[in-house]
Amino acid sequence: MLTMKETAILYIVIPCYNEEEVLQETTKQLRQKLKSLIDKKIISSKSKVMYVDDGSKDNTWNIIKTIAREEKNFTGISLSKNKGQQNALLAGLMTARTYADVVISMDADLQDDINTIDEMLEKYKAGNDIVYAVRNKRTKDSFFKRTSAQFFYKFMNFLGAECIYNHADYRLTSKRVLDELSKFKETNLFLRGIFPSIGFKTAIVYYERKKRYAGKSKYSLKKMFNFAWEGITSFSIKPLRFICVLGFLILFTSLGIIIYSIIRKITGNTVDGWTFLSISIWFIGSLQMISIGIIGEYIGKIYSETKQRPRYIILENLEDKEN
Ligand code: UDP
Ligand code: MG
């Protein structure tokens, strides 16, 4: 925020699912990071790392509890069951916003370079409410992960959901932004798409994504697919519209088929009844497709309405300012 008092309280929110192998190291590195930021008076000494246990089946929650008990700059919350990274993150952000002025979200596995935090905070102090950390290279990811992710970003943008290319969930958000986020009541919340739609002054910082410190990726292929599907269907009604487009394409094709069938009829190159049947199939097919598409349009509208997203967000109101 522009008019920031000396030091802001920073919360670093980290969703953890079966992360017992990395938590000690993550804690060690973040302890140093927090200490140096507090010493330099960049952040308040009340700043904390908040681990969110996403219903882990291993020892993760016990480790988090022990760390939180022993260290004043570490805390945690645990979810009743595994709800997926996006929901765990949301739970963390919504909890942290009551204590913090500014929140950074990141992964537990140290793939996100924690030295980028300094730069993110600088951007925050310069008046940005959201700072996206974007990977400049993906050399450390597997070929499959890299290509599937890049395809995903492109496809999402094609479908009209604003997504920051190569940005995952490593980002800084001010309390103000999180307060606005809390007004989004939809259940299927796709955070990567929501933040760009919230607006506010934003900045981007670049970092090199590292290899996972230990353990395996907790994003199984199934989770990745669910995530992508969730993103597309909760942000775009374009797939519904495609039905209509497809209907019209088939209608045009059927016009061609009609002409073709009639020519064959005239040239006597056909069996009895064939012309009528082929024309009917194509024509009725296209009409059905268009009808489904039109119904889809309305369902899309209902869908958007039920989300009850805020229609606008006020950035500043001069009326509120004291002189
Ligand atoms: N994660 C989670 N719940 C899940 C899956 C993952 O909280 O159901 C967390 C995980 O512990 C990690 C972050 O989300 O902190 C990113 O997961 P991961 O590193 O496995 O994904 P990748 O980097 O391979 O995309
Ligand atoms: Mg990872």
Side-chain angles (χ1 to χ4, degrees):
M1 228 177 278
L2 276 171
T3 51
M4 215 182 38
K5 286 163 244 122
E6 312 115 45
T7 49
I9 301 177
L10 167 72
Y11 266 56
I12 301 179
V13 170
I14 305 182
C16 307
Y17 178 59
N18 296 344
E19 297 285 12
E20 59 182 10
E21 287 158 296
V22 303
L23 269 176
Q24 298 296 358
E25 180 64 24
T26 309
T27 305
K28 189 177 133 212
Q29 296 200 12
L30 284 172
R31 186 189 302 125
Q32 281 169 2
K33 182 92 255 166
L34 279 185
K35 187 174 179 317
S36 90
L37 288 168
I38 292 170
D39 287 348
K40 284 190 231 154
K41 300 217 174 340
I42 297 173
I43 56 170
S44 151
S45 59
K46 290 190 199 131
S47 301
K48 282 185 190 183
V49 170
M50 177 180 270
Y51 292 120
V52 183
D53 173 37
D54 183 16
S56 297
K57 294 178 180 57
D58 65 0
N59 220 7
T60 300
W61 181 232
N62 285 330
I63 299 174
I64 294 173
K65 278 197 286 193
T66 314
I67 295 170
R69 205 179 315 122
E70 286 168 2
E71 310 198 30
K72 89 181 204 342
N73 293 111
F74 284 82
T75 181
I77 58 174
S78 87
L79 302 190
S80 58
K81 70 184 282 274
N82 180 239
K83 287 285 190 180
Q85 185 245 12
Q86 293 283 293
N87 288 314
L89 189 53
L90 183 68
L93 293 176
M94 287 302 112
T95 314
R97 88 188 156 104
T98 50
Y99 312 104
D101 300 313
V102 55
V103 177
I104 290 178
S105 54
M106 58 184 276
D107 290 352
D109 54 8
L110 295 171
Q111 284 195 281
D112 306 326
D113 183 1
I114 63 166
N115 291 317
T116 317
I117 293 177
D118 298 72
E119 209 185 325
M120 290 166 100
L121 286 168
E122 268 168 40
K123 297 270 186 204
Y124 167 70
K125 297 212 165 176
N128 293 289
D129 279 281
I130 307 180
V131 184
Y132 300 102
V134 169
R135 296 162 222 184
N136 50 12
K137 279 188 231 130
R138 287 190 88 119
T139 41
K140 301 281 160 53
D141 278 332
S142 72
F143 175 76
F144 174 72
K145 183 104 193 172
R146 201 163 60 224
T147 33
S148 64
Q150 273 165 3
F151 173 76
F152 174 67
Y153 288 112
K154 294 219 167 102
F155 191 57
M156 283 301 286
N157 280 319
F158 167 72
L159 287 176
E162 270 178 273
C163 268
I164 309 276
Y165 191 61
N166 262 345
H167 158 72
D169 283 299
Y170 190 19
R171 78 174 81 75
L172 173 148
T173 40
S174 68
K175 175 180 165 50
R176 185 149 78 129
V177 168
L178 295 177
D179 288 345
E180 294 303 338
L181 177 69
S182 71
K183 295 179 193 158
F184 285 70
K185 297 295 179 206
E186 59 207 81
T187 325
N188 297 313
L189 200 55
F190 181 66
L191 290 173
R192 285 178 211 181
I194 285 277
F195 281 108
S197 76
I198 291 183
F200 284 108
K201 196 161 176 248
T202 57
I204 287 181
V205 297
Y206 292 91
Y207 72 103
E208 198 180 322
R209 187 146 160 106
K210 300 191 221 157
K211 259 200 156 69
R212 191 172 234 287
Y213 175 75
K216 284 208 202 79
S217 171
K218 304 298 179 283
Y219 257 98
S220 57
L221 199 60
K222 188 171 150 231
K223 276 193 174 158
M224 249 164 75
F225 184 76
N226 278 345
F227 174 75
W229 189 242
E230 206 55 61
I232 291 166
T233 53
S234 68
F235 247 88
S236 174
I237 55 165
K238 276 200 186 166
L240 287 174
R241 198 158 287 164
F242 286 151
I243 302 175
C244 226
V245 174
L246 204 60
F248 278 107
L249 284 180
I250 298 178
L251 184 68
F252 283 123
T253 319
S254 79
L255 293 180
I257 299 273
I258 289 171
I259 296 168
Y260 170 71
S261 309
I262 291 175
I263 291 173
R264 282 194 61 167
K265 175 92 186 159
I266 294 168
T267 53
N269 221 341
T270 170
V271 286
D272 237 10
W274 179 83
T275 317
F276 180 72
L277 269 184
S278 66
I279 290 176
S280 306
I281 289 169
W282 279 87
F283 195 65
I284 291 181
S286 64
L287 284 190
Q288 280 176 338
M289 202 68 114
I290 292 170
S291 311
I292 296 172
I294 291 172
I295 294 174
E297 271 299 307
Y298 284 95
I299 293 179
K301 290 270 177 332
I302 296 171
Y303 176 66
S304 313
E305 289 293 335
T306 51
K307 283 197 276 200
Q308 302 204 336
R309 284 191 185 167
R311 272 169 290 183
Y312 53 81
I313 292 166
I314 293 171
L315 185 60
E316 268 175 281
N317 177 356
L318 296 178
E319 197 63 23
D320 290 340
K321 290 243 165 84
E322 295 161 45
N323 293 327

